[in-house]
Amino acid sequence: MKELVVISGKGGTGKTSIVASLATLAEKAVLADCDVDAADLHLVLEPTIKRREDFIGGKQAFIVEDNCIGCGRCARICKFEAIEEKALSNGSKGSVYRVDTISCEGCGVCVEFCPREAIEFNEVVNGQWFISDTRYGTMVHATLGIAQENSGKLVSLIRREAKEIAKKENQSLIIVDGSPGIGCPVIASITGADIVLVVTEPTLSGLHDLERVVELARGFDLSIVVAINKYDLNPDMSDKIEAYALQNDIEVVGKIHYDKSVTKAQINRESLIEHGDSLGSTDIKEMWKRLSKRLSE
Amino acid sequence: MTKKNIKIAVASGKGGTGKTTISTNLARAIAKNRRAAQYLDCDVEEPNGHIFLKPEIQKSKAVTIDVPEVDNEKCNGCGRCSDICQYNAIVSLKKVVVTFDQLCHSCGGCKLVCPTSAITDKAKEIGFVDIGVAKEIGFIQGRLNIGDIHTPPLIKEVKKAASSDSVIVIDAPPGTSCPVIEAIKDCDFVVLVTEPTPFGLNDLRLAVGMVRELKLPFAVVINRSDAGDDEVLKYCSKEKIDVALEIRDDIEIAKAYSKGEMIVDVAADYERGFIDLFDYIDKNIQLQEKLI
Ligand code: SF4
Ligand code: SF4
């Protein structure tokens, strides 16, 4: 079983559209959407949800007003400035404390040190994750609640589930739509992957982000390949990216034309391959041949 | 009284919608035509504003967070540090304690519960804050060290480095989770940048949910406004959200972007749009000030 993870230094490089096309070309694979912050793959693959689970990422503190004597110890020790003083809700004199749920990181220090045991510490549901059917195979995906933490944990959970499913269904390929950036969710997306495909654009920002992401992936000793999307928008910059790849011994598996059909396909809820023949779809088919070869090595 | 030091965050549900383009050009247009302005690159995982603004960096300072250091001589193996840690960042194994700096949230809990004072703070570098000028505007950016995941604490430091006497334009990280919340939570106004596509609309919905949860005033900017369908416009009118600026899909803009050039420099007629955007935001904020 091989796991192909598609990432991009910055967002908006066409990563998700490319994943949808790869899913079409692979015909049979387990799909995983790990871009949990801005999950879009479902818009094209239109999954039918089979199983739905809560995602519990951590805990959160809650001060029970009736038990709080207003000593303020919690506010003094909280490193996240998450506890604020407030007037008693029954209008009588004196004050109590409350936890700002957006700033609270669920460390539990206040819970431990409250002299009146007035702080509850409960698990919170940060989102939901799903196992679904799509026209190209089973898909694992999720939604993360607003202003929620722990996207890295959720990403790891999705990849773990996708692997379980691949084993059960005897599938030889998992395609993962990874997270952008170089932070916690993307690290959780790529560790242990068989091939990391970095989708970039021929812009200065694209090159800059590519360098950072490659350095990150190198740190985890992963096998990296690159695709340059919309490469004809700035051929000079594409050459620079190719030169960079060559110097760093990274294969450029795809150079994809700028193609107005990409937006049209998205509006029709199709992958570019399904949308029909176009410059872009021909390029992606070429890329898929190279990727399949690397995956079978 | 007019509020001078207003903080405007430019955010988007996903990356690549033109957040950096909007925030850099907005900052430049404000400084040239209205008031002193600073640009803060809080997209610390992928800071790109410098490519367009080409700042002169005057000083760089390392940012550190406190992580625990354990004196194994003093440790009596009670394990209370690993009990309190919610992130598995400290594990007590009989007579030695192992720490995992990347998982630590610097809550200080382990140090507080340790009965033998075996735990002290150790500074761990997570990235840098660079401060400089880019022509007429102040420039500050955060750069997260590669392999590090402490994005929110670095963003906090970038914001602390700003001076309070001018308009602040924040280039926020993409998404709707902890890093972007840190970047926008105390702002006076949020500009949400999107594209007129199904992906753009889906990500905009999430971003709108986020700013509403934080109770922040906001408006939408549609980039490449003629490149897709009109679902974003329909959504905004249904939700009574102002569309403060639309920028058409212009090959000249795409080319300028790919070369690291500013729109207001290559196509002067766009400058007007950014000035109007600022006037709109400013009017909104001054109005709210009056209401309070
Ligand atoms: S759990 Fe931690 S972050 Fe939350 S309120 Fe208590 S001390 Fe603060
Ligand atoms: S400071 Fe908090 S998060 Fe860090 S190791 Fe100690 S208990 Fe865990």
Side-chain angles (χ1 to χ4, degrees), chain A residues 194-210:
Chain A
D194 296 293
I195 294 188
V196 177
L197 168 63
V198 187
V199 179
T200 186
E201 283 181 343
T203 62
L204 263 176
S205 320
L207 176 58
H208 181 249
D209 293 338
L210 176 68

Side-chain angles (χ1 to χ4, degrees), chain A residues 13-156:
Chain A
T13 56
K15 169 177 67 69
T16 300
S17 297
I18 287 177
V19 169
S21 285
L22 295 180
T24 311
L25 291 165
E27 284 170 15
K28 210 85 193 88
V30 175
L31 308 163
D33 191 351
C34 286
D35 192 353
V36 291
D37 240 16
D40 285 331
L41 190 59
H42 67 279
L43 297 173
V44 180
L45 296 181
E46 301 181 301
T48 319
I49 295 174
K50 287 270 136 94
R51 196 174 128 204
R52 181 189 292 266
E53 300 283 343
D54 282 341
F55 165 63
I56 294 167
K59 293 179 169 179
Q60 207 154 53
F62 174 78
I63 300 177
V64 180
E65 196 182 308
D66 285 345
N67 299 338
C68 175
I69 52 165
C71 72
R73 186 160 185 194
C74 52
R76 285 193 298 276
I77 55 174
C78 177
K79 293 273 202 228
F80 309 105
E81 290 161 30
I83 304 188
E84 48 202 22
E85 205 173 343
K86 65 156 203 158
L88 277 161
S89 23
N90 62 16
S92 53
K93 258 176 76 184
S95 56
V96 289
Y97 287 80
R98 70 173 275 279
V99 178
D100 166 18
T101 51
I102 288 175
S103 298
C104 177
E105 297 201 7
C107 68
V109 172
C110 53
V111 180
E112 174 83 16
F113 287 94
C114 173
R116 302 297 297 245
E117 293 181 24
I119 310 182
E120 287 179 353
F121 199 39
N122 299 322
E123 288 188 331
V124 278
V125 175
N126 296 131
Q128 286 194 312
W129 59 275
F130 318 98
I131 296 180
S132 302
D133 281 346
T134 73
R135 53 192 185 274
Y136 299 113
T138 310
M139 166 166 163
V140 191
H141 52 127
T143 54
L144 196 61
I146 285 156
Q148 291 302 347
E149 317 232 349
N150 295 308
S151 42
K153 251 191 191 174
L154 182 54
V155 166
S156 308

Side-chain angles (χ1 to χ4, degrees), chain B residues 21 26 56-57 91-92 97 109 117 128 132 143 150 155 172 174-175 190 193 203 213 217 239 245-246 249 255 266 288:
Chain B
T21 306
L26 179 62
E56 218 177 281
I57 302 296
V91 178
S92 151
V97 174
S117 308
F128 288 85
R143 266 185 293 132
H150 293 96
I155 292 174
V190 183
V193 185
D203 300 328
E213 176 96 20
E239 293 283 323
L245 177 67
E246 291 183 52
D249 191 16
K255 277 196 191 139
V266 295
Q288 288 161 35

Side-chain angles (χ1 to χ4, degrees), chain B residues 232-263:
Chain B
V232 168
L233 276 177
K234 279 193 207 150
Y235 165 79
C236 289
S237 93
K238 196 173 124 255
E239 293 283 323
K240 303 204 170 31
I241 298 168
D242 286 353
V243 175
L245 177 67
E246 291 183 52
I247 299 174
R248 40 174 217 281
D249 191 16
D250 182 339
I251 185 82
E252 290 309 313
I253 294 185
K255 277 196 191 139
Y257 178 86
S258 75
K259 285 187 264 176
E261 288 166 359
M262 303 274 290
I263 313 182

Side-chain angles (χ1 to χ4, degrees), chain B residues 101-149:
Chain B
D101 294 351
Q102 283 304 341
L103 301 176
C104 176
H105 285 223
S106 306
C107 73
C110 50
K111 187 172 129 191
L112 286 172
V113 293
C114 178
T116 65
S117 308
I119 301 179
T120 48
D121 289 333
K122 175 178 79 183
K124 177 190 156 37
E125 183 193 288
I126 57 170
F128 288 85
V129 172
D130 304 321
I131 303 173
V133 285
K135 282 195 193 150
E136 56 281 271
I137 63 176
F139 177 95
I140 303 173
Q141 72 174 2
R143 266 185 293 132
L144 186 70
N145 286 351
I146 289 168
D148 206 294
I149 59 170

Side-chain angles (χ1 to χ4, degrees), chain B residues 81-96:
Chain B
C81 52
S82 23
D83 291 345
I84 194 165
C85 184
Q86 294 296 315
Y87 317 105
N88 305 317
I90 187 161
V91 178
S92 151
L93 313 155
K94 285 186 194 127
K95 279 243 97 186
V96 292

